[in-house]
Amino acid sequence: MKARAFSYFRAATIEQALDAHARVGDDARFIAGGQSLVPALSLRLQAPRLLIDITHIGELRGVRREGGFLRIGALTRHCEMLSEPLIAEFAPLLHAAAPFVAHPAIRNRGTFGGSVALADPASEFPAMTLALDAEIEIAGPSGRRRVKADDFFLDLFETALQPGELITAIYVPLFKADQRFAFDELARRRGDYALVGCGMLATCAGGRIDDIRISFFSVGNTPTRVKGAEATLIGSSLDSERIAAAQAALEGDLAPPDSDEVPPAMRLHLARVLLGRLLGRLKEGA
Amino acid sequence: MSGLDETLLDDTEATVRVRFVVNGRKVACEVAPRETLVDCLRNELELTGTHAGCEMGACGACLVQLDGRAVHSCLMYAVQADGARIDTIEGLTESGVIADLQAEFHRRNALQCGFCTPGMLVNAHELLSQVAEPNREEIRDALSGNYCRCTGYEAIVDAIDAVAKARCEGGGAT
């Protein structure tokens, strides 16, 4: 239960971090909050030769408005999702999801950028970037780029990040007056990984759904948007018939993995239950 | 740009000098980069009140305060804490800030073997500094990352609940 020996480098700038990684290659890992990486090293699932500590890079910190987006620095800690007023106002879905992320002490260290970069399919925040239509800003040896969340999560723990690249910030479109959101998850105990979780963001016009993005987690290899269910709801006033149709559409949207603990049929059932509850809450908020 | 010194990579066991303020005192020690903060506190600094349990962030026995916030000392390397302020159960005890919690844990038998207790106290201390009078559900939620294999938690929740109420009334726990 101890990590293999490694060297440690504390980078002061993004350039230093990228340069160190480029020189060491696949044997280097960036470390931020470390709440998933440190256990992985202890279990020797990974055994890098160099850890590059990025937590002292000022450019990766801070939350501010930038155009029509809220720019959330990659080093923003989970606990700041609860305490930062700009997040509560302009990205309330993240604020609502934060209490469900692990335990308080983990939230004090874990970072938003780290969670998105790891892309654990059972984690709350990666899935919420999908619901929010967020953009992920990446720095790497070949410069900076922004990738839509829709194009970021590729497969199990596999993302659009290339070796040697790191997330600098996540851009979330500002929450608007005509939008509504809902979040919840089903877990055996609070703080455990969810059996199924879901977050959604809807734009409404005259009591009808103009646009809706619904994202599930703990349902497969990646956080998953349920586009069939979304399409069912467009133009509806969230009447019970349309909610039932959206619940039925999940069968085509989700293909839960085979698992002895939670069989696919059970997970699909739980997803339908959760979707029904959240759409009900969305309607009540009208 | 003062970047990576590649000679660093030649000897991954080479120790690094780190400095922290632990329980109000400046300390320096030599650690290997892979040494976790909990091992450094226990082995180098002989502060054995912080317990190493699961060593993967699940059990909460290793909680300490890092720059005023509760963190798992098994989920970070001592080198990452270089320059930080660390308060362990020894420091919190010495300063008296958790004396009422400790007395109430004792009075209500909220501990048996005591292995989880330092982590429970660090967590309870943070909870009560953020939420003046949490309800029982909030207390249980805050404790969700702290395992106790003896007590069944009920007395622990009772103790924290009693201290919260007593602090709000401005007196000691009854």
Side-chain angles (χ1 to χ4, degrees), chain A residues 1-3 5-10 16 23-24 31 35 38-39 41 44 103 105-106 108-109 189-190, chain B residues 2 4 6 8-9 12 33-34 39 55 63 66 69-72 75 77 79-80 82 126 141 144-145:
Chain A
M1 290 298 289
K2 302 289 180 194
F6 54 78
S7 298
Y8 170 87
F9 172 61
R10 187 179 277 194
Q16 274 185 13
R23 284 200 269 159
V24 178
I31 186 166
Q35 302 299 283
V38 174
L41 298 192
R44 301 208 180 190
H103 312 291
I106 304 274
N108 285 342
R109 289 286 298 165
R189 290 180 312 175
R190 186 70 172 256
Chain B
S2 82
L4 172 71
E6 281 184 56
L8 208 81
L9 300 168
T12 51
R34 68 161 154 174
D39 286 345
E55 296 187 280
L63 292 184
L66 180 88
R69 300 298 294 257
V71 304
H72 293 88
L75 285 191
Y77 300 108
V79 283
Q80 291 175 276
D82 186 26
E126 173 154 306
D141 188 30
S144 64

Side-chain angles (χ1 to χ4, degrees), chain A residues 145-221:
Chain A
R145 63 198 175 103
R146 264 161 82 160
V147 177
K148 286 251 190 199
D150 276 325
D151 302 321
F152 185 78
F153 303 102
L154 304 179
D155 206 337
L156 188 61
F157 296 111
E158 192 188 327
T159 68
L161 279 174
Q162 296 296 310
E165 288 188 322
L166 57 84
I167 294 178
T168 48
I170 288 122
Y171 287 77
V172 176
L174 298 176
F175 185 69
K176 295 171 201 70
D178 61 352
Q179 289 186 315
R180 294 178 215 155
F181 67 94
F183 176 93
D184 209 345
E185 66 182 43
L186 300 171
R188 290 206 167 94
R189 290 180 312 175
R190 186 70 172 256
D192 274 2
Y193 281 112
L195 298 170
V196 172
C198 180
M200 57 181 68
L201 181 72
T203 307
C204 310
R208 286 183 188 280
I209 299 291
D210 219 22
D211 186 30
I212 187 164
R213 294 174 67 95
I214 304 172
S215 178
F216 275 87
F217 53 98
S218 274
V219 290
N221 281 354

Side-chain angles (χ1 to χ4, degrees), chain B residues 23 37-39 41-42 47-53 60-65 71-74 86-90 115 118-119 122:
Chain B
N23 298 331
L37 181 59
V38 63
D39 286 345
L41 291 169
R42 291 178 55 85
L47 293 166
T48 54
T50 302
H51 292 159
C62 70
L63 292 184
V64 298
Q65 285 197 330
V71 304
H72 293 88
S73 58
C74 76
I86 296 156
D87 293 286
T88 68
I89 191 66
E90 289 89 348
F115 191 84
V122 170

